[in-house]
Amino acid sequence: MEEEFDCIIVGGGIAGLSAAMTLARGGAKFLLVERGEWSGAKNVSGGVLWGTDLNRLVPNYWEEEDAGWERFVNHRRLSLMDPGASFSLDFKSDHFDTPPYTGVTVLRSRFDAWLAGKVEEAIGESDHPDESFLATDILVESVIVEGGVARGIRAGGEDFRAKCVILAEGVNNLLARQVGLEKEYVPADHVAVGVKEVIRLGRETVEDRFQLRGRSGLTNEFVGAATDGIDGGGFLYTNLESLSVGLVIGMKAMRGTGRTPYDLLNEFKEHPAVADMVRGGEVVEYSAKVVSTGDIRGVPSDLTMDGLMIAGEAAHLVLNAGRAIQGMDYAMRTGILAAETAISAVASGDTSKAALAPYRQRLDESYVMQDMKAFQGAVHLLHSPHMTGALPRMACDFGREFFTVDNRPTRKATRILRDVRKKHIKLMDFMKLGAKAGRHL
């Protein structure tokens, strides 16, 4: 009789590894298949893992000497930019200093490999130490579907069968398309291109330049001249010895501009607000990838079918509502929820779409879908032309005059604000923008 796993996971990123950890601890026999040479080999992106689910998977991870994270975030900054200036909202608090941390910066190649090692440890302590596997450097060719039911995967010319399949393949979700849960064509305004460099400065320089101590860290998001008025934004995150610096640019907005993401990234690094931060650094990594924009219309209407669930960015579960760019935490939570659903369904002997329905129900009840639904207005607001044009220029013009002290009469702030508003945006548009921000942020 052909061997059958309780569950097969496709993808060894954060969603897949979180599902694998949950399955191992839940007594399931599973196979995780990753097409990279190791988990993290093709995940060159870096960013911030928000929330405390990491402590749920790896309790007291911060006590490990060589854990896979870089710095905990206790300093947040949002900067509005015009070509020559930036105006920032800056917040730092010891409220964030106590573990479990609510945000840690990561370099995915290192973090994913570390988390995969933790999954291997969990397998060794599980009910199936010799029957559960992480299989890397294997491309999954297709999902085996028989009579409308997912029965496993085909990889390397061989079939691997399972009672349940979890697709955690990332934004390039070819298998989700194959089984019919994703449309063949994703509208350009539902995806963006992300470009990023890792710039090595050395630990002492990072800590001195950004006023950090121990493993504390800073995140800085940028709007406006970061993308030269094109829909999108920039970011800078501190790692132990390096910075992750990059842009996320709307795919639709890039069309017809004659610009390339790499050109915009170079201009961003030359901006006065950024140039001093990256000065003297060595670029050790460059990457570009497609990312979801957080538009809920891009989320497939069905995330389950008989014998199969979709988790993480394969389902376009990402949110940028102005407070933070959330994707890795969504991947972690959805991987956990999918695995918990699989464990219950397999134990009941029923992995039909109806039996997997609690996955969507629990997802809808979680912060992931609650926030995606609640902040869609903010997502659309951030992509409005005023947010990348008039508002940053207005803030910087206000800052230039408000913070300039010279030998002439000083104008009141209200007068300065009125005049710079007239220069950049009509009163009615300004009031509408303020009303939208009040409702949606």
Side-chain angles (χ1 to χ4, degrees), residues 425-441:
I425 187 172
K426 295 179 180 179
L427 180 58
M428 181 58 70
D429 290 339
F430 185 61
M431 291 191 296
K432 288 180 179 179
L433 192 65
K436 287 180 180 179
R439 286 197 304 269
H440 300 309
L441 292 178

Side-chain angles (χ1 to χ4, degrees), residues 44-46 192-199 226-227 233-237 243-251 254 259-269 285-291 325:
V44 292
S45 65
V193 58
V195 291
K196 185 211 70 173
E197 290 180 350
V198 174
I199 301 175
T227 53
F235 60 85
L236 183 150
Y237 306 135
L243 308 176
S244 293
V245 181
L247 302 174
V248 178
I249 311 161
M251 192 79 75
M254 281 292 295
R259 313 295 300 281
T260 69
Y262 191 67
D263 290 337
L264 292 175
L265 179 58
N266 281 335
E267 292 175 13
F268 173 59
K269 292 192 301 176
E285 182 183 293
Y286 170 79
S287 61
K289 61 176 290 188
V290 174
V291 296
I325 300 173

Side-chain angles (χ1 to χ4, degrees), residues 28-314:
K29 181 173 65 173
F30 69 91
L31 169 67
L32 182 149
V33 182
E34 160 60 33
R35 68 183 175 91
E37 292 183 47
W38 68 88
S39 286
K42 61 183 180 60
N43 292 324
V44 292
S45 65
V48 183
L49 172 59
W50 299 106
T52 57
D53 277 340
L54 179 57
N55 186 48
R56 178 178 175 180
L57 293 179
V58 186
N60 300 330
Y61 64 89
W62 57 87
E63 295 178 355
E64 294 191 16
E65 184 175 345
D66 193 30
W69 56 288
E70 297 291 308
R71 293 183 177 276
F72 70 86
V73 178
N74 72 341
H75 191 176
R76 304 289 311 279
R77 183 184 296 152
L78 174 64
S79 300
L80 303 176
M81 305 169 69
D82 73 5
S86 69
F87 193 106
S88 297
L89 176 66
D90 194 288
F91 183 72
K92 186 173 185 177
S93 173
D94 61 4
H95 165 75
F96 300 115
D97 289 356
T98 305
Y101 303 119
T102 55
V104 294
T105 61
V106 302
L107 293 171
R108 287 289 301 277
S109 58
R110 178 170 177 252
F111 178 80
D112 289 17
W114 170 78
L115 188 57
K118 292 299 177 182
V119 173
E120 294 279 14
E121 292 177 11
I123 290 174
E125 298 169 356
S126 73
D127 296 340
H128 304 281
D130 299 320
E131 298 173 291
S132 294
F133 305 95
L134 301 188
T136 59
D137 205 15
I138 295 175
L139 174 65
V140 176
E141 298 153 12
S142 63
V143 176
I144 299 171
V145 180
E146 298 171 348
V149 181
R151 300 291 189 186
I153 61 168
R154 184 164 294 116
E158 297 184 34
D159 291 352
F160 300 86
R161 305 186 77 83
K163 298 167 186 173
C164 181
V165 175
I166 297 175
L167 296 183
E169 56 186 323
V171 69
N172 296 316
N173 50 4
L174 299 179
L175 298 178
R177 296 166 195 259
Q178 179 227 318
V179 299
L181 292 180
E182 171 69 286
K183 299 174 183 177
E184 284 299 315
Y185 171 75
V186 177
D189 54 353
H190 293 173
V191 291
V193 58
V195 291
K196 185 211 70 173
E197 290 180 350
V198 174
I199 301 175
R200 182 188 294 132
L201 291 172
R203 182 165 183 167
E204 184 177 351
T205 300
V206 170
E207 293 176 356
D208 288 348
R209 187 167 295 180
F210 295 94
Q211 300 178 343
L212 308 176
R213 51 185 169 79
R215 292 189 75 163
S216 67
L218 167 141
T219 69
N220 197 157
E221 283 79 30
F222 302 85
V223 177
T227 53
D228 196 25
I230 300 171
D231 177 26
F235 60 85
L236 183 150
Y237 306 135
T238 56
N239 305 312
L240 267 179
E241 300 181 347
S242 64
L243 308 176
S244 293
V245 181
L247 302 174
V248 178
I249 311 161
M251 192 79 75
K252 184 176 181 180
M254 281 292 295
R255 290 177 176 174
T257 64
R259 313 295 300 281
T260 69
Y262 191 67
D263 290 337
L264 292 175
L265 179 58
N266 281 335
E267 292 175 13
F268 173 59
K269 292 192 301 176
E270 293 170 358
H271 188 280
V274 181
D276 286 341
M277 297 186 193
V278 303
R279 173 175 41 83
E282 175 192 5
V283 176
V284 294
E285 182 183 293
Y286 170 79
S287 61
K289 61 176 290 188
V290 174
V291 296
S292 300
T293 63
D295 193 316
I296 202 167
R297 294 173 298 179
V299 177
S301 56
D302 281 330
L303 298 180
T304 62
M305 60 179 282
D306 289 335
L308 184 144
M309 293 172 280
I310 309 177
E313 203 176 2

